[in-house]
Amino acid sequence: HSVLQAEPSQIPDPRHVWSRHSLPITDLCCGFGGPLARAATASLDQTAKLWEISSGELLLSVLFDVGIMAVTLDLSEYHMFCGGMDGSIFQVDLCAWPVQRDRTFQTERENGKVFKGHRNQVTCLSVSTDGSLLLSGSHDETVRLWDIQSKQCLKTMNHKGPVTNAFIVLAPANMFNPEGKPSVPLPKFSRHLHGTESSDEPGAEGVTLRLGLHQQEPGQSYLEKAERMYSQMYSTREKNLVGDQEHLTIQVSELEEEVSNLRKINKDLFDFSTRIITKPAK
């Protein structure tokens, strides 16, 4: 509703309320269009729906043979991927022609758009940034990586329990560098916020995090440097103010002297004019 809520006592009203699903909603995915973004929802009523966030309008509703447990969109939002309770993953083309608001996904006709491999319900889906790979997690205790174009499983990762969430993230640049080290040292985690008796033991000190450490003087923290810079700026400002006052005083005195001179000249000119006018004619 709003990033900043002015009055916390008031409960904000939702911009839209979507109530087209007839059974519980299992997953929701929002695109990257900002105000023009689209949101996809999955439900146990065997449908996946696509909504327009700005207007709240229902753009697409796809009916499947099984309940849908997970839904996601690729980065270009050309496809919507839906994970079913039977382990199938369905690919829905959002740019298919003709445009139909209500569609039925018929597995026998859409055989080339189904990922088959999971033996239990699919719980999560994630697409790579280039739109070529699909990651899926399932209650069959596996995570699978798929090639979207060929629908082939490239890799299977086994786990010791049902997988509830998995997603693709960008790897850091130095992740695979054996000599790579974190550029920012992180403090050690402690059970308590303030120091305890155990903190006096050797090796129990935390790492102090300093911003811009390579630019600092030895033994000077970021806050100390910031305070010193602020004091310098404040003293410079005070000097400027004092200098401006002295300069203003000098200007006022000069103007007062010039006004007095002009008054004297004006008086002398008045007296001279008066003498000429009142001088008797010979």
Side-chain angles (χ1 to χ4, degrees):
H1 175 77
S2 176
V3 176
L4 298 177
Q5 188 175 346
E7 298 182 6
S9 59
Q10 295 182 356
I11 300 177
D13 296 327
R15 187 179 298 272
H16 304 298
V17 178
W18 296 324
S19 56
R20 298 287 190 93
H21 287 291
S22 58
L23 288 177
I25 296 173
T26 55
D27 197 11
L28 185 145
C29 174
C30 184
F32 294 96
L36 303 178
R38 297 180 293 180
T41 57
S43 174
L44 294 178
D45 62 4
Q46 301 184 2
T47 64
K49 300 182 186 296
L50 192 68
W51 312 82
E52 187 178 46
I53 291 182
S54 58
S55 64
E57 183 182 358
L58 175 64
L59 302 177
L60 176 66
S61 178
V62 184
L63 178 63
F64 298 90
D65 297 333
V66 295
I68 303 301
M69 302 299 299
V71 65
T72 190
L73 301 168
D74 61 352
L75 201 58
S76 60
E77 298 188 13
Y78 281 178
H79 306 288
M80 179 171 63
F81 300 92
C82 308
M85 295 188 66
D86 62 348
S88 301
I89 303 172
F90 310 100
Q91 177 181 328
V92 179
D93 296 335
L94 300 180
C95 299
W97 190 263
V99 178
Q100 297 176 342
R101 176 171 296 184
D102 295 312
R103 248 192 263 176
T104 301
F105 192 94
Q106 299 178 355
T107 307
E108 60 276 5
R109 295 183 181 180
E110 306 283 356
N111 193 26
K113 298 179 181 179
V114 181
F115 302 81
K116 295 182 179 180
H118 285 297
R119 301 181 305 275
N120 205 334
Q121 66 181 26
V122 178
T123 57
C124 52
L125 295 170
S126 179
V127 183
S128 61
T129 54
D130 61 354
S132 63
L133 301 175
L134 174 68
L135 186 74
S136 63
S138 172
H139 275 189
D140 63 3
E141 303 182 359
T142 64
V143 172
R144 291 178 179 264
L145 188 65
W146 308 83
D147 178 69
I148 295 179
Q149 186 68 26
S150 62
K151 307 295 184 296
Q152 297 296 318
C153 181
L154 303 178
K155 189 174 183 180
T156 301
M157 292 156 276
N158 297 314
H159 293 265
K160 296 181 179 179
V163 178
T164 57
N165 197 10
F167 53 91
I168 299 175
V169 295
L170 294 176
N174 62 343
M175 179 176 178
F176 301 104
N177 184 9
E179 299 179 357
K181 295 181 179 180
S183 58
V184 179
L186 297 178
K188 295 181 180 180
F189 289 100
S190 176
R191 185 180 297 272
H192 303 282
L193 179 62
H194 302 287
T196 57
E197 298 178 356
S198 61
S199 62
D200 298 334
E201 300 176 0
E205 304 89 7
V207 179
T208 303
L209 180 63
R210 295 181 178 179
L211 302 179
L213 184 60
H214 61 286
Q215 298 177 351
Q216 292 181 4
E217 300 175 3
Q220 187 180 29
S221 66
Y222 173 78
L223 294 178
E224 292 173 349
K225 185 176 181 180
E227 186 176 359
R228 182 172 60 85
M229 292 179 62
Y230 177 78
S231 61
Q232 290 179 355
M233 292 171 58
Y234 187 77
S235 62
T236 304
R237 180 172 175 269
E238 286 290 330
K239 291 179 181 179
N240 291 338
L241 290 176
V242 172
D244 291 342
Q245 290 178 356
E246 293 178 353
H247 183 65
L248 183 62
T249 305
I250 294 173
Q251 280 187 335
V252 170
S253 61
E254 291 177 353
L255 290 175
E256 289 178 348
E257 184 178 357
E258 185 175 358
V259 168
S260 63
N261 291 335
L262 290 175
R263 285 179 178 176
K264 183 178 181 301
I265 293 173
N266 188 39
K267 184 177 181 302
D268 294 341
L269 181 61
F270 178 78
D271 294 341
F272 177 75
S273 302
T274 304
R275 285 197 306 268
I276 292 178
I277 294 174
T278 56
K279 186 178 181 180
K282 291 181 179 181

mmCIF file of all heavy atoms in Angstrom, residues 150-195:
data_model
loop_
_atom_site.group_PDB
_atom_site.id
_atom_site.type_symbol
_atom_site.label_atom_id
_atom_site.label_comp_id
_atom_site.label_asym_id
_atom_site.label_seq_id
_atom_site.Cartn_x
_atom_site.Cartn_y
_atom_site.Cartn_z
ATOM 1 N N SER A 150 15.191 -27.857 -24.485
ATOM 2 C CA SER A 150 15.021 -29.286 -24.795
ATOM 3 C C SER A 150 14.198 -30.039 -23.758
ATOM 4 O O SER A 150 13.878 -31.209 -23.975
ATOM 5 C CB SER A 150 16.396 -29.948 -24.919
ATOM 6 O OG SER A 150 17.101 -29.876 -23.687
ATOM 7 N N LYS A 151 13.891 -29.407 -22.610
ATOM 8 C CA LYS A 151 13.138 -30.035 -21.515
ATOM 9 C C LYS A 151 13.891 -31.218 -20.906
ATOM 10 O O LYS A 151 13.291 -32.109 -20.305
ATOM 11 C CB LYS A 151 11.752 -30.506 -21.989
ATOM 12 C CG LYS A 151 10.933 -29.428 -22.686
ATOM 13 C CD LYS A 151 10.574 -28.314 -21.753
ATOM 14 C CE LYS A 151 9.670 -27.273 -22.422
ATOM 15 N NZ LYS A 151 10.309 -26.566 -23.545
ATOM 16 N N GLN A 152 15.222 -31.241 -21.059
ATOM 17 C CA GLN A 152 16.042 -32.313 -20.509
ATOM 18 C C GLN A 152 16.582 -31.920 -19.139
ATOM 19 O O GLN A 152 16.926 -30.753 -18.908
ATOM 20 C CB GLN A 152 17.209 -32.634 -21.454
ATOM 21 C CG GLN A 152 16.778 -33.145 -22.812
ATOM 22 C CD GLN A 152 16.062 -34.472 -22.726
ATOM 23 O OE1 GLN A 152 16.461 -35.365 -21.983
ATOM 24 N NE2 GLN A 152 14.993 -34.604 -23.499
ATOM 25 N N CYS A 153 16.667 -32.907 -18.250
ATOM 26 C CA CYS A 153 17.226 -32.691 -16.919
ATOM 27 C C CYS A 153 18.743 -32.748 -17.003
ATOM 28 O O CYS A 153 19.320 -33.776 -17.374
ATOM 29 C CB CYS A 153 16.694 -33.729 -15.936
ATOM 30 S SG CYS A 153 17.316 -33.526 -14.252
ATOM 31 N N LEU A 154 19.401 -31.648 -16.686
ATOM 32 C CA LEU A 154 20.857 -31.584 -16.778
ATOM 33 C C LEU A 154 21.539 -32.090 -15.513
ATOM 34 O O LEU A 154 22.626 -32.653 -15.582
ATOM 35 C CB LEU A 154 21.296 -30.133 -17.037
ATOM 36 C CG LEU A 154 20.712 -29.466 -18.286
ATOM 37 C CD1 LEU A 154 21.204 -28.031 -18.381
ATOM 38 C CD2 LEU A 154 21.083 -30.254 -19.537
ATOM 39 N N LYS A 155 20.927 -31.904 -14.372
ATOM 40 C CA LYS A 155 21.573 -32.293 -13.116
ATOM 41 C C LYS A 155 20.513 -32.549 -12.067
ATOM 42 O O LYS A 155 19.488 -31.862 -12.010
ATOM 43 C CB LYS A 155 22.531 -31.189 -12.637
ATOM 44 C CG LYS A 155 23.395 -31.591 -11.457
ATOM 45 C CD LYS A 155 24.410 -30.511 -11.136
ATOM 46 C CE LYS A 155 25.321 -30.938 -9.997
ATOM 47 N NZ LYS A 155 26.331 -29.905 -9.665
ATOM 48 N N THR A 156 20.756 -33.565 -11.237
ATOM 49 C CA THR A 156 19.869 -33.897 -10.129
ATOM 50 C C THR A 156 20.664 -33.869 -8.836
ATOM 51 O O THR A 156 21.701 -34.526 -8.722
ATOM 52 C CB THR A 156 19.228 -35.279 -10.320
ATOM 53 O OG1 THR A 156 18.494 -35.302 -11.543
ATOM 54 C CG2 THR A 156 18.288 -35.592 -9.173
ATOM 55 N N MET A 157 20.203 -33.097 -7.851
ATOM 56 C CA MET A 157 20.866 -32.982 -6.550
ATOM 57 C C MET A 157 19.964 -33.604 -5.495
ATOM 58 O O MET A 157 18.823 -33.156 -5.313
ATOM 59 C CB MET A 157 21.159 -31.517 -6.225
ATOM 60 C CG MET A 157 22.211 -30.899 -7.135
ATOM 61 S SD MET A 157 22.096 -29.115 -7.261
ATOM 62 C CE MET A 157 20.831 -28.953 -8.533
ATOM 63 N N ASN A 158 20.444 -34.636 -4.836
ATOM 64 C CA ASN A 158 19.669 -35.377 -3.832
ATOM 65 C C ASN A 158 19.829 -34.741 -2.451
ATOM 66 O O ASN A 158 20.904 -34.238 -2.100
ATOM 67 C CB ASN A 158 20.113 -36.845 -3.790
ATOM 68 C CG ASN A 158 19.863 -37.556 -5.098
ATOM 69 O OD1 ASN A 158 18.794 -37.448 -5.679
ATOM 70 N ND2 ASN A 158 20.866 -38.283 -5.584
ATOM 71 N N HIS A 159 18.757 -34.758 -1.683
ATOM 72 C CA HIS A 159 18.750 -34.222 -0.326
ATOM 73 C C HIS A 159 18.162 -35.271 0.617
ATOM 74 O O HIS A 159 17.560 -36.250 0.176
ATOM 75 C CB HIS A 159 17.943 -32.921 -0.258
ATOM 76 C CG HIS A 159 18.573 -31.785 -1.005
ATOM 77 N ND1 HIS A 159 19.383 -30.855 -0.415
ATOM 78 C CD2 HIS A 159 18.506 -31.451 -2.317
ATOM 79 C CE1 HIS A 159 19.792 -29.981 -1.318
ATOM 80 N NE2 HIS A 159 19.275 -30.325 -2.492
ATOM 81 N N LYS A 160 18.346 -35.033 1.915
ATOM 82 C CA LYS A 160 17.869 -35.976 2.922
ATOM 83 C C LYS A 160 16.526 -35.538 3.499
ATOM 84 O O LYS A 160 16.317 -35.568 4.708
ATOM 85 C CB LYS A 160 18.904 -36.109 4.045
ATOM 86 C CG LYS A 160 20.233 -36.692 3.580
ATOM 87 C CD LYS A 160 21.204 -36.812 4.742
ATOM 88 C CE LYS A 160 22.526 -37.420 4.284
ATOM 89 N NZ LYS A 160 23.499 -37.534 5.411
ATOM 90 N N GLY A 161 15.648 -35.117 2.651
ATOM 91 C CA GLY A 161 14.338 -34.688 3.096
ATOM 92 C C GLY A 161 13.654 -33.885 2.007
ATOM 93 O O GLY A 161 14.266 -33.538 0.987
ATOM 94 N N PRO A 162 12.384 -33.595 2.177
ATOM 95 C CA PRO A 162 11.654 -32.813 1.169
ATOM 96 C C PRO A 162 12.274 -31.428 0.994
ATOM 97 O O PRO A 162 12.683 -30.787 1.968
ATOM 98 C CB PRO A 162 10.240 -32.720 1.745
ATOM 99 C CG PRO A 162 10.129 -33.850 2.718
ATOM 100 C CD PRO A 162 11.496 -34.036 3.278
ATOM 101 N N VAL A 163 12.362 -30.977 -0.234
ATOM 102 C CA VAL A 163 12.885 -29.651 -0.549
ATOM 103 C C VAL A 163 11.722 -28.664 -0.538
ATOM 104 O O VAL A 163 10.725 -28.860 -1.238
ATOM 105 C CB VAL A 163 13.587 -29.653 -1.916
ATOM 106 C CG1 VAL A 163 14.087 -28.256 -2.264
ATOM 107 C CG2 VAL A 163 14.738 -30.649 -1.923
ATOM 108 N N THR A 164 11.836 -27.630 0.269
ATOM 109 C CA THR A 164 10.754 -26.644 0.389
ATOM 110 C C THR A 164 11.036 -25.372 -0.388
ATOM 111 O O THR A 164 10.103 -24.663 -0.756
ATOM 112 C CB THR A 164 10.528 -26.285 1.862
ATOM 113 O OG1 THR A 164 11.759 -25.798 2.419
ATOM 114 C CG2 THR A 164 10.085 -27.516 2.644
ATOM 115 N N ASN A 165 12.317 -25.054 -0.647
ATOM 116 C CA ASN A 165 12.614 -23.828 -1.387
ATOM 117 C C ASN A 165 13.992 -23.942 -2.027
ATOM 118 O O ASN A 165 14.913 -24.516 -1.440
ATOM 119 C CB ASN A 165 12.584 -22.601 -0.470
ATOM 120 C CG ASN A 165 12.473 -21.312 -1.251
ATOM 121 O OD1 ASN A 165 12.227 -21.339 -2.457
ATOM 122 N ND2 ASN A 165 12.654 -20.187 -0.594
ATOM 123 N N ALA A 166 14.120 -23.423 -3.237
ATOM 124 C CA ALA A 166 15.388 -23.376 -3.967
ATOM 125 C C ALA A 166 15.271 -22.314 -5.034
ATOM 126 O O ALA A 166 14.217 -22.163 -5.662
ATOM 127 C CB ALA A 166 15.714 -24.737 -4.590
ATOM 128 N N PHE A 167 16.336 -21.540 -5.251
ATOM 129 C CA PHE A 167 16.292 -20.492 -6.266
ATOM 130 C C PHE A 167 17.704 -20.222 -6.764
ATOM 131 O O PHE A 167 18.704 -20.557 -6.110
ATOM 132 C CB PHE A 167 15.667 -19.207 -5.721
ATOM 133 C CG PHE A 167 16.296 -18.709 -4.446
ATOM 134 C CD1 PHE A 167 17.341 -17.815 -4.473
ATOM 135 C CD2 PHE A 167 15.824 -19.145 -3.228
ATOM 136 C CE1 PHE A 167 17.918 -17.359 -3.309
ATOM 137 C CE2 PHE A 167 16.391 -18.708 -2.042
ATOM 138 C CZ PHE A 167 17.445 -17.809 -2.088
ATOM 139 N N ILE A 168 17.790 -19.634 -7.949
ATOM 140 C CA ILE A 168 19.059 -19.329 -8.615
ATOM 141 C C ILE A 168 19.466 -17.907 -8.263
ATOM 142 O O ILE A 168 18.655 -16.980 -8.353
ATOM 143 C CB ILE A 168 18.929 -19.490 -10.135
ATOM 144 C CG1 ILE A 168 18.556 -20.936 -10.486
ATOM 145 C CG2 ILE A 168 20.213 -19.096 -10.833
ATOM 146 C CD1 ILE A 168 18.298 -21.150 -11.974
ATOM 147 N N VAL A 169 20.738 -17.727 -7.869
ATOM 148 C CA VAL A 169 21.279 -16.400 -7.584
ATOM 149 C C VAL A 169 22.571 -16.228 -8.374
ATOM 150 O O VAL A 169 23.206 -17.209 -8.774
ATOM 151 C CB VAL A 169 21.564 -16.212 -6.074
ATOM 152 C CG1 VAL A 169 20.286 -16.258 -5.278
ATOM 153 C CG2 VAL A 169 22.549 -17.246 -5.571
ATOM 154 N N LEU A 170 22.959 -14.984 -8.602
ATOM 155 C CA LEU A 170 24.213 -14.686 -9.291
ATOM 156 C C LEU A 170 25.386 -14.954 -8.345
ATOM 157 O O LEU A 170 25.381 -14.505 -7.199
ATOM 158 C CB LEU A 170 24.232 -13.228 -9.760
ATOM 159 C CG LEU A 170 23.212 -12.862 -10.846
ATOM 160 C CD1 LEU A 170 23.280 -11.362 -11.130
ATOM 161 C CD2 LEU A 170 23.469 -13.653 -12.113
ATOM 162 N N ALA A 171 26.393 -15.666 -8.835
ATOM 163 C CA ALA A 171 27.556 -15.990 -8.014
ATOM 164 C C ALA A 171 28.505 -14.789 -7.967
ATOM 165 O O ALA A 171 28.648 -14.069 -8.956
ATOM 166 C CB ALA A 171 28.284 -17.206 -8.591
ATOM 167 N N PRO A 172 29.167 -14.541 -6.820
ATOM 168 C CA PRO A 172 30.169 -13.474 -6.767
ATOM 169 C C PRO A 172 31.300 -13.728 -7.742
ATOM 170 O O PRO A 172 31.573 -14.860 -8.135
ATOM 171 C CB PRO A 172 30.655 -13.521 -5.307
ATOM 172 C CG PRO A 172 29.585 -14.241 -4.557
ATOM 173 C CD PRO A 172 28.962 -15.197 -5.521
ATOM 174 N N ALA A 173 31.982 -12.654 -8.139
ATOM 175 C CA ALA A 173 33.016 -12.766 -9.162
ATOM 176 C C ALA A 173 34.183 -13.640 -8.699
ATOM 177 O O ALA A 173 34.780 -14.371 -9.492
ATOM 178 C CB ALA A 173 33.516 -11.373 -9.552
ATOM 179 N N ASN A 174 34.530 -13.577 -7.409
ATOM 180 C CA ASN A 174 35.702 -14.326 -6.912
ATOM 181 C C ASN A 174 35.305 -15.612 -6.204
ATOM 182 O O ASN A 174 36.067 -16.142 -5.404
ATOM 183 C CB ASN A 174 36.509 -13.446 -5.956
ATOM 184 C CG ASN A 174 35.707 -13.049 -4.730
ATOM 185 O OD1 ASN A 174 34.488 -13.155 -4.736
ATOM 186 N ND2 ASN A 174 36.393 -12.586 -3.701
ATOM 187 N N MET A 175 34.112 -16.128 -6.498
ATOM 188 C CA MET A 175 33.637 -17.316 -5.781
ATOM 189 C C MET A 175 34.495 -18.529 -6.094
ATOM 190 O O MET A 175 34.791 -19.342 -5.211
ATOM 191 C CB MET A 175 32.182 -17.585 -6.151
ATOM 192 C CG MET A 175 31.584 -18.807 -5.486
ATOM 193 S SD MET A 175 29.832 -19.010 -5.878
ATOM 194 C CE MET A 175 29.469 -20.526 -5.005
ATOM 195 N N PHE A 176 34.918 -18.672 -7.339
ATOM 196 C CA PHE A 176 35.688 -19.851 -7.748
ATOM 197 C C PHE A 176 37.186 -19.587 -7.775
ATOM 198 O O PHE A 176 37.953 -20.393 -8.279
ATOM 199 C CB PHE A 176 35.213 -20.318 -9.128
ATOM 200 C CG PHE A 176 33.753 -20.680 -9.160
ATOM 201 C CD1 PHE A 176 32.826 -19.821 -9.724
ATOM 202 C CD2 PHE A 176 33.291 -21.862 -8.596
ATOM 203 C CE1 PHE A 176 31.472 -20.137 -9.752
ATOM 204 C CE2 PHE A 176 31.942 -22.182 -8.620
ATOM 205 C CZ PHE A 176 31.041 -21.324 -9.200
ATOM 206 N N ASN A 177 37.619 -18.461 -7.258
ATOM 207 C CA ASN A 177 39.042 -18.157 -7.170
ATOM 208 C C ASN A 177 39.590 -18.729 -5.860
ATOM 209 O O ASN A 177 39.144 -18.336 -4.783
ATOM 210 C CB ASN A 177 39.263 -16.649 -7.227
ATOM 211 C CG ASN A 177 40.745 -16.282 -7.244
ATOM 212 O OD1 ASN A 177 41.604 -17.153 -7.372
ATOM 213 N ND2 ASN A 177 41.032 -14.992 -7.123
ATOM 214 N N PRO A 178 40.529 -19.679 -5.921
ATOM 215 C CA PRO A 178 41.015 -20.289 -4.666
ATOM 216 C C PRO A 178 41.703 -19.294 -3.748
ATOM 217 O O PRO A 178 41.753 -19.497 -2.538
ATOM 218 C CB PRO A 178 41.986 -21.381 -5.145
ATOM 219 C CG PRO A 178 42.375 -20.974 -6.528
ATOM 220 C CD PRO A 178 41.196 -20.257 -7.104
ATOM 221 N N GLU A 179 42.236 -18.211 -4.298
ATOM 222 C CA GLU A 179 42.916 -17.212 -3.482
ATOM 223 C C GLU A 179 42.011 -16.044 -3.113
ATOM 224 O O GLU A 179 42.454 -15.084 -2.489
ATOM 225 C CB GLU A 179 44.142 -16.684 -4.235
ATOM 226 C CG GLU A 179 45.172 -17.764 -4.547
ATOM 227 C CD GLU A 179 46.353 -17.215 -5.311
ATOM 228 O OE1 GLU A 179 46.309 -16.006 -5.640
ATOM 229 O OE2 GLU A 179 47.309 -17.962 -5.561
ATOM 230 N N GLY A 180 40.760 -16.103 -3.522
ATOM 231 C CA GLY A 180 39.848 -15.006 -3.243
ATOM 232 C C GLY A 180 39.434 -14.950 -1.779
ATOM 233 O O GLY A 180 39.184 -15.976 -1.142
ATOM 234 N N LYS A 181 39.378 -13.745 -1.242
ATOM 235 C CA LYS A 181 38.970 -13.526 0.141
ATOM 236 C C LYS A 181 37.908 -12.429 0.172
ATOM 237 O O LYS A 181 37.877 -11.567 -0.712
ATOM 238 C CB LYS A 181 40.162 -13.119 1.008
ATOM 239 C CG LYS A 181 41.224 -14.202 1.136
ATOM 240 C CD LYS A 181 42.361 -13.735 2.033
ATOM 241 C CE LYS A 181 43.418 -14.830 2.179
ATOM 242 N NZ LYS A 181 44.533 -14.382 3.042
ATOM 243 N N PRO A 182 37.042 -12.441 1.175
ATOM 244 C CA PRO A 182 36.041 -11.367 1.271
ATOM 245 C C PRO A 182 36.700 -10.005 1.394
ATOM 246 O O PRO A 182 37.677 -9.832 2.128
ATOM 247 C CB PRO A 182 35.257 -11.729 2.538
ATOM 248 C CG PRO A 182 35.492 -13.190 2.741
ATOM 249 C CD PRO A 182 36.874 -13.461 2.217
ATOM 250 N N SER A 183 36.199 -9.039 0.660
ATOM 251 C CA SER A 183 36.775 -7.695 0.703
ATOM 252 C C SER A 183 36.401 -6.956 1.980
ATOM 253 O O SER A 183 37.119 -6.042 2.389
ATOM 254 C CB SER A 183 36.317 -6.889 -0.519
ATOM 255 O OG SER A 183 34.901 -6.822 -0.557
ATOM 256 N N VAL A 184 35.296 -7.332 2.599
ATOM 257 C CA VAL A 184 34.860 -6.680 3.840
ATOM 258 C C VAL A 184 34.845 -7.721 4.948
ATOM 259 O O VAL A 184 34.109 -8.707 4.863
ATOM 260 C CB VAL A 184 33.459 -6.069 3.679
ATOM 261 C CG1 VAL A 184 33.009 -5.419 4.982
ATOM 262 C CG2 VAL A 184 33.452 -5.049 2.559
ATOM 263 N N PRO A 185 35.655 -7.583 5.996
ATOM 264 C CA PRO A 185 35.633 -8.555 7.096
ATOM 265 C C PRO A 185 34.345 -8.433 7.896
ATOM 266 O O PRO A 185 33.868 -7.334 8.182
ATOM 267 C CB PRO A 185 36.850 -8.172 7.943
ATOM 268 C CG PRO A 185 37.066 -6.722 7.642
ATOM 269 C CD PRO A 185 36.646 -6.517 6.218
ATOM 270 N N LEU A 186 33.761 -9.562 8.230
ATOM 271 C CA LEU A 186 32.503 -9.578 8.977
ATOM 272 C C LEU A 186 32.782 -9.874 10.448
ATOM 273 O O LEU A 186 33.670 -10.661 10.774
ATOM 274 C CB LEU A 186 31.565 -10.645 8.406
ATOM 275 C CG LEU A 186 31.126 -10.424 6.952
ATOM 276 C CD1 LEU A 186 30.249 -11.581 6.497
ATOM 277 C CD2 LEU A 186 30.399 -9.112 6.799
ATOM 278 N N PRO A 187 32.034 -9.251 11.349
ATOM 279 C CA PRO A 187 32.244 -9.531 12.773
ATOM 280 C C PRO A 187 31.749 -10.925 13.130
ATOM 281 O O PRO A 187 30.873 -11.479 12.477
ATOM 282 C CB PRO A 187 31.403 -8.455 13.469
ATOM 283 C CG PRO A 187 30.356 -8.098 12.468
ATOM 284 C CD PRO A 187 30.993 -8.236 11.127
ATOM 285 N N LYS A 188 32.319 -11.464 14.194
ATOM 286 C CA LYS A 188 31.897 -12.777 14.659
ATOM 287 C C LYS A 188 30.541 -12.675 15.343
ATOM 288 O O LYS A 188 30.234 -11.702 16.024
ATOM 289 C CB LYS A 188 32.926 -13.337 15.651
ATOM 290 C CG LYS A 188 34.281 -13.618 15.021
ATOM 291 C CD LYS A 188 35.245 -14.196 16.053
ATOM 292 C CE LYS A 188 36.604 -14.473 15.430
ATOM 293 N NZ LYS A 188 37.544 -15.023 16.432
ATOM 294 N N PHE A 189 29.728 -13.689 15.151
ATOM 295 C CA PHE A 189 28.409 -13.710 15.772
ATOM 296 C C PHE A 189 28.555 -14.043 17.257
ATOM 297 O O PHE A 189 29.359 -14.884 17.646
ATOM 298 C CB PHE A 189 27.497 -14.734 15.102
ATOM 299 C CG PHE A 189 27.077 -14.332 13.725
ATOM 300 C CD1 PHE A 189 27.703 -14.865 12.613
ATOM 301 C CD2 PHE A 189 26.059 -13.412 13.544
ATOM 302 C CE1 PHE A 189 27.317 -14.485 11.346
ATOM 303 C CE2 PHE A 189 25.665 -13.032 12.281
ATOM 304 C CZ PHE A 189 26.292 -13.570 11.174
ATOM 305 N N SER A 190 27.775 -13.372 18.076
ATOM 306 C CA SER A 190 27.809 -13.581 19.521
ATOM 307 C C SER A 190 26.400 -13.848 20.024
ATOM 308 O O SER A 190 25.414 -13.392 19.441
ATOM 309 C CB SER A 190 28.394 -12.352 20.224
ATOM 310 O OG SER A 190 28.348 -12.507 21.620
ATOM 311 N N ARG A 191 26.318 -14.586 21.112
ATOM 312 C CA ARG A 191 25.014 -14.901 21.677
ATOM 313 C C ARG A 191 24.399 -13.665 22.326
ATOM 314 O O ARG A 191 23.173 -13.526 22.373
ATOM 315 C CB ARG A 191 25.155 -16.028 22.703
ATOM 316 C CG ARG A 191 23.819 -16.515 23.264
ATOM 317 C CD ARG A 191 24.039 -17.631 24.259
ATOM 318 N NE ARG A 191 24.644 -18.793 23.630
ATOM 319 C CZ ARG A 191 23.958 -19.767 23.047
ATOM 320 N NH1 ARG A 191 22.632 -19.713 23.023
ATOM 321 N NH2 ARG A 191 24.561 -20.788 22.486
ATOM 322 N N HIS A 192 25.228 -12.764 22.836
ATOM 323 C CA HIS A 192 24.737 -11.588 23.534
ATOM 324 C C HIS A 192 25.211 -10.345 22.801
ATOM 325 O O HIS A 192 26.260 -10.334 22.169
ATOM 326 C CB HIS A 192 25.239 -11.559 24.986
ATOM 327 C CG HIS A 192 24.850 -12.783 25.762
ATOM 328 N ND1 HIS A 192 23.582 -12.969 26.274
ATOM 329 C CD2 HIS A 192 25.575 -13.888 26.099
ATOM 330 C CE1 HIS A 192 23.541 -14.133 26.904
ATOM 331 N NE2 HIS A 192 24.732 -14.709 26.812
ATOM 332 N N LEU A 193 24.405 -9.265 22.934
ATOM 333 C CA LEU A 193 24.756 -8.018 22.283
ATOM 334 C C LEU A 193 25.936 -7.355 22.970
ATOM 335 O O LEU A 193 26.858 -6.873 22.318
ATOM 336 C CB LEU A 193 23.546 -7.063 22.285
ATOM 337 C CG LEU A 193 23.766 -5.691 21.655
ATOM 338 C CD1 LEU A 193 24.116 -5.843 20.178
ATOM 339 C CD2 LEU A 193 22.524 -4.829 21.814
ATOM 340 N N HIS A 194 25.943 -7.332 24.324
ATOM 341 C CA HIS A 194 27.021 -6.715 25.084
ATOM 342 C C HIS A 194 28.006 -7.795 25.537
ATOM 343 O O HIS A 194 27.701 -8.982 25.600
ATOM 344 C CB HIS A 194 26.466 -5.954 26.294
ATOM 345 C CG HIS A 194 25.483 -4.883 25.916
ATOM 346 N ND1 HIS A 194 25.862 -3.710 25.324
ATOM 347 C CD2 HIS A 194 24.129 -4.856 26.023
ATOM 348 C CE1 HIS A 194 24.778 -2.973 25.098
ATOM 349 N NE2 HIS A 194 23.717 -3.650 25.506
ATOM 350 N N GLY A 195 29.210 -7.356 25.849
ATOM 351 C CA GLY A 195 30.256 -8.275 26.248
ATOM 352 C C GLY A 195 29.930 -9.000 27.533
ATOM 353 O O GLY A 195 29.305 -8.462 28.447
#
